[in-house]
Amino acid sequence: MAFVERVFSGVQPTGNLHLGNYLGAIVNFVKMQETHNCIYCVVDMHALTQPVEVWGGPSELARNTREVTAAFIAAGIDPKKHIVFNQSQVSGHAELAWIFNCVARVGWLNRMTQFKEKAGKDRENASVGLYDYPVLMAADILLYRATHVPVGDDQKQHLELSRDIAQKFNNDFGDSIRGHGYNDGMYFPLPEPFITGPATRVMSLRDGTKKMSKSDASDYSRINLTDDADTIAQKIRKAKTDPEPLPSEEKGLEPRPEADNLVGIYAALSERPKAEVLREFGGGQFSSFKNALVELCVTKLSPIAAEMKRLVADPGHVDAILIDGADRARTIAAETMKATQDIVGFVRKR
Ligand code: AQP
């Protein structure tokens, strides 16, 4: 069966959005609006998988949910043409996750590296939700039978799991799926990851081998979308580098993670290939490259920060966007849930 092409992706409201979230995910969310019907979700239920100190408690969760929504809109997502909402307003996410819990295998979840990293040494004390996170993510995507998922590189493994769940559901319930009129036995599409651009994995400014992340204890490790020009300048000037001048060719970046990261950020923000950036700055000192990077970051991020500030000052307006988006998302989700319940054999009101 040919599926209608649809994009779904989500961002957790767990703290300050940073340049990694922006370049790895949100920039592609904006681009895909031109060619696809898109659904962008603030995944507040995922936030709860971490200890309360990480997501900050109820009032922080609400504040961050509005701030991520504001970032979507400030970056250029159109909530009228597309759908923007928060996950917890559509109960289908949790309902489909339960069915998928019974499709996914424990062995599959045991291989998820993000759980291992986030649970750390104290695995016994991690929430069941953190372990089950990728199953809820599969439900998020497949509730809308989405075909394309723009994400950063760190989500690749979870996307593969979503494909495995869709495939196993289609196999396990193949006869029932065909019996309900889906003649090729494919009720759920196998969603395609869309991981593209020169900054699919933006690294920490303090350590080029670690991902830039909201939960890093050092604020100097990341550039937040709400940082002002002085803060951006300070963070970039303090960013770890090495004593060598920049190479003139990409190959020269290979053993130099910090240099590679900064060049990747410059390339992504200026929408030019890394090779072209190196043709301009190769052979020069980091200090002059960093000055150019500060200027570029401030030019690109300041208008977004200003618009976010304006939007979060009007929470009623942001909430109205989320409520309208959730109403439209719920209509699509209800169709999927009815068909899924029929396929599984759940008796329901007609
Ligand atoms: N460093 C990154 N480089 C590129 N893309 C990134 N993403 C996250 N970090 C980077 C992408 O941003 C989207 C939203 O991420 P998320 O908020 O849902 O979850 P996350 O991956 O757990 O984000 P963080 O900021 O790294 O949070 P913590 O500190 O909790 O681990 C996703 O598409 C993600 O790939």
Side-chain angles (χ1 to χ4, degrees):
M1 178 185 167
F3 289 96
V4 178
E5 290 206 348
R6 184 177 280 147
V7 167
F8 178 95
S9 196
V11 173
Q12 296 189 75
T14 41
N16 284 328
L17 283 182
H18 53 70
L19 196 57
N21 300 130
Y22 179 65
L23 294 176
I26 298 173
V27 163
N28 288 328
F29 294 4
V30 175
K31 280 195 190 135
M32 291 183 97
Q33 297 183 107
E34 304 295 319
T35 47
H36 290 79
N37 287 323
C38 302
I39 303 177
Y40 296 127
C41 187
V42 186
V43 287
D44 48 6
M45 288 158 66
H46 282 273
L48 264 57
T49 60
Q50 302 220 53
V52 67
E53 309 81 68
V54 174
W55 52 272
S59 52
E60 264 303 275
L61 183 65
R63 199 192 71 77
N64 283 326
T65 299
R66 294 185 182 112
E67 192 172 273
V68 173
T69 310
F72 283 174
I73 293 160
I77 291 168
D78 182 342
K80 290 208 169 77
K81 283 202 186 125
H82 301 274
I83 294 178
V84 172
F85 75 108
N86 58 313
Q87 185 186 25
S88 58
Q89 290 203 73
V90 180
S91 59
H93 291 257
E95 292 170 27
L96 189 58
W98 180 257
I99 295 173
F100 286 170
N101 273 333
C102 303
V103 172
R105 306 289 93 182
V106 169
W108 300 355
L109 289 181
N110 283 344
R111 286 197 285 276
M112 295 296 113
T113 53
Q114 184 170 293
F115 174 75
K116 290 179 195 161
E117 281 162 21
K118 289 200 169 163
K121 288 199 183 81
D122 198 8
R123 209 189 267 209
E124 291 288 304
N125 207 24
S127 75
V128 176
L130 186 66
Y131 184 70
D132 202 32
Y133 179 113
V135 177
L136 179 58
M137 179 167 157
D140 298 337
I141 298 163
L142 294 169
L143 186 58
Y144 305 97
R145 298 167 88 209
T147 52
H148 293 78
V149 187
V151 280
D153 181 66
D154 61 319
Q155 291 298 329
K156 197 171 168 193
Q157 196 186 32
H158 288 167
L159 244 301
E160 279 158 13
L161 189 102
S162 296
R163 292 169 64 87
D164 290 344
I165 290 175
Q167 177 110 55
K168 188 167 187 313
F169 181 95
N170 290 340
N171 287 344
D172 288 357
F173 295 99
D175 289 343
S176 181
I177 290 171
R178 275 183 283 275
H180 283 90
Y182 302 91
N183 295 337
D184 62 358
M186 292 275 289
Y187 180 66
F188 287 114
L190 308 190
E192 296 272 351
F194 188 80
I195 303 173
T196 184
T200 55
R201 193 176 188 86
V202 177
M203 309 310 275
S204 157
L205 299 181
R206 310 301 287 163
D207 177 352
T209 63
K210 262 174 62 186
K211 186 182 87 128
M212 185 178 283
S213 149
K214 297 183 198 114
S215 55
D216 194 312
S218 165
D219 199 48
Y220 276 88
S221 68
R222 63 183 160 261
I223 292 172
N224 303 307
L225 291 189
T226 49
D227 282 345
D228 61 24
D230 286 346
T231 311
I232 293 175
Q234 254 183 17
K235 286 180 176 177
I236 291 178
R237 296 211 170 99
K238 278 192 189 243
K240 187 176 168 199
T241 46
D242 55 49
E244 302 297 317
L246 274 173
S248 303
E249 290 183 7
E250 252 185 288
K251 216 172 164 351
L253 291 173
E254 266 167 31
R256 300 172 62 188
E258 283 84 15
D260 188 23
N261 190 37
L262 294 183
V263 171
I265 292 173
Y266 193 99
L269 284 172
S270 60
E271 295 178 67
R272 289 157 64 191
K274 278 188 196 174
E276 204 181 302
V277 175
L278 290 176
R279 272 201 293 280
E280 185 179 340
F281 293 99
Q285 292 305 316
F286 267 110
S287 51
S288 53
F289 174 66
K290 280 184 169 180
N291 286 339
L293 184 56
V294 168
E295 204 181 309
L296 180 62
C297 270
V298 171
T299 309
K300 293 283 176 178
L301 299 186
S302 295
I304 297 176
E307 182 61 3
M308 280 173 72
K309 206 167 163 188
R310 195 185 69 78
L311 286 163
V312 295
D314 187 356
H317 174 62
V318 176
D319 291 5
I321 290 170
L322 292 173
I323 290 165
D324 171 62
D327 287 343
R328 288 185 286 138
R330 212 176 284 116
T331 305
I332 305 171
E335 288 300 307
T336 309
M337 281 318 297
K338 277 189 216 154
T340 307
Q341 285 159 352
D342 290 345
I343 288 165
V344 168
F346 289 165
V347 175
R348 66 177 177 88
K349 186 178 169 193
R350 306 228 156 228

